[in-house]
Amino acid sequence: MEENTEKAGRVFLYELINFIEDSLVDSHNSYKAIPQFADTPELDTVLEQDPAVIQSNMGFMLPKDDSLEKISSDIRSCRACRLYAGRKNTVPGFGSIKPVVMVLGEAPGAEEDASGLPFVGAAGKLLDKMLSAIGLSRENNCFIGNIVKCRPPHNRDPAPDEQAACMPFLERQIALLDPKAFLTIGRIPGQALLNTKDSLGRLRGKVYDFRGKPLVASYHPSALLRDESYKRPAWEDLKLLKSMLDKLGK
Ligand code: URA
């Protein structure tokens, strides 16, 4: 009861500050993250007790009356960055609507652009195998998505402004899906969610606290297809994620 009142107080204060800021600054077009103010004690306890967990919380947002269908439809009509011009399809993501893990890559490739589905090429097949090794699948308990929902030309890295333009969609997805944990695959999603420029070699092998949820950053399956030496550390990362899920009883 006391906790609820405290949480409501924090939300009220946050909205009041935003209201004042909006009145002072013309922020009509600017994206604003609303923190989740999460109060999931059992997660907090696990994360607080685990010395391997690194604190790294960011904002959170949830428009009123949002839905996954609305997000997908908004993505389909989005022209917020230059990537809309070259797309065949948008790729909002796919998977469980109550995911244990949200898996995030960087951006759709050619096959994803053609089908509108994430990770359907060779890297996607390997990803499915990796996930299934720790009891996860996109059919049952994962949601698979990307930082950017449209294919960058020639599969180049999505530019920072393209990532920023797409981030509100990811924020809305995270808010609705409320996954218990995150797995970022590849440098770009790890850096984007953890708000860092650290190399993936430095980011991987640890558990981060991302808004009160564990986040593990690992290699992209396409890197494993190119270079077998990434397989062992990637497997270590998956085991780390699994150990966090076990601790949470998921
Ligand atoms: N690589 C990604 O990062 N995302 C996809 O959806 C496919 C390949």
Side-chain angles (χ1 to χ4, degrees):
M1 182 64 185
E2 249 176 42
E3 251 175 41
N4 281 346
T5 318
E6 195 188 312
K7 185 177 163 190
R10 275 181 285 161
V11 173
F12 174 75
L13 204 58
Y14 179 82
E15 285 176 352
L16 182 66
I17 291 166
N18 273 338
F19 175 75
I20 295 168
E21 187 190 326
D22 283 352
S23 320
L24 297 173
V25 183
D26 176 18
S27 57
H28 176 65
N29 285 324
S30 72
Y31 158 67
K32 189 153 295 140
I34 299 174
Q36 184 196 18
F37 302 110
D39 52 2
T40 44
E42 83 277 25
L43 288 179
D44 291 348
T45 312
V46 169
L47 293 169
E48 269 162 28
Q49 284 170 356
D50 196 322
V53 170
I54 295 156
Q55 303 292 324
S56 164
N57 283 339
M58 291 161 57
F60 216 85
M61 70 90 89
L62 179 59
K64 281 202 179 91
D65 305 322
D66 210 4
S67 70
L68 290 173
E69 291 73 23
K70 173 117 182 35
I71 298 170
S72 297
S73 143
D74 289 350
I75 292 171
R76 261 195 305 281
S77 56
C78 178
R79 293 182 163 213
C81 82
R82 62 192 79 73
L83 295 183
Y84 84 86
R87 72 187 172 208
K88 288 197 183 85
N89 285 292
T90 52
V91 184
F94 177 89
S96 165
I97 56 165
K98 284 193 166 190
V100 174
V101 179
M102 185 168 201
V103 182
L104 287 169
E106 60 181 58
E111 286 168 89
E112 290 77 21
D113 180 52
S115 66
L117 291 167
F119 282 96
V120 288
K125 293 199 172 65
L126 178 56
L127 176 63
D128 284 339
K129 277 192 197 159
M130 291 160 65
L131 294 175
S132 103
I134 55 165
L136 298 174
S137 73
R138 61 176 98 192
E139 287 77 25
N140 293 317
N141 50 15
C142 286
F143 184 91
I144 301 190
N146 285 299
I147 297 294
V148 161
K149 318 298 190 198
C150 298
R151 183 190 181 202
H154 312 295
N155 295 346
R156 66 159 168 75
D157 288 350
D161 64 322
E162 293 160 356
Q163 295 180 42
C166 224
M167 200 50 86
F169 296 126
L170 180 59
E171 293 280 5
R172 289 166 63 188
Q173 290 177 320
I174 293 173
L176 279 181
L177 292 164
D178 194 24
K180 305 298 170 237
F182 294 84
L183 173 66
T184 58
I185 44 177
R187 177 179 57 84
I188 287 188
Q191 289 180 337
L193 264 63
L194 296 171
N195 196 21
T196 178
K197 293 228 171 350
D198 282 359
S199 70
L200 187 51
R202 284 180 71 93
L203 291 179
R204 63 151 299 274
K206 299 169 193 144
V207 182
Y208 297 85
D209 174 349
F210 179 68
R211 303 169 186 175
K213 313 284 176 70
L215 181 152
V216 171
S218 190
Y219 292 110
H220 196 285
S222 61
L224 276 61
L225 290 171
R226 277 196 309 270
D227 183 343
E228 293 234 327
S229 71
Y230 288 121
K231 281 191 177 167
R232 180 170 290 277
W235 176 233
E236 294 301 325
D237 295 335
L238 284 176
K239 285 195 294 186
L240 189 57
L241 176 65
K242 174 84 172 94
S243 74
M244 288 312 294
L245 297 179
D246 289 346
K247 278 187 201 174
L248 296 170
K250 302 294 166 198

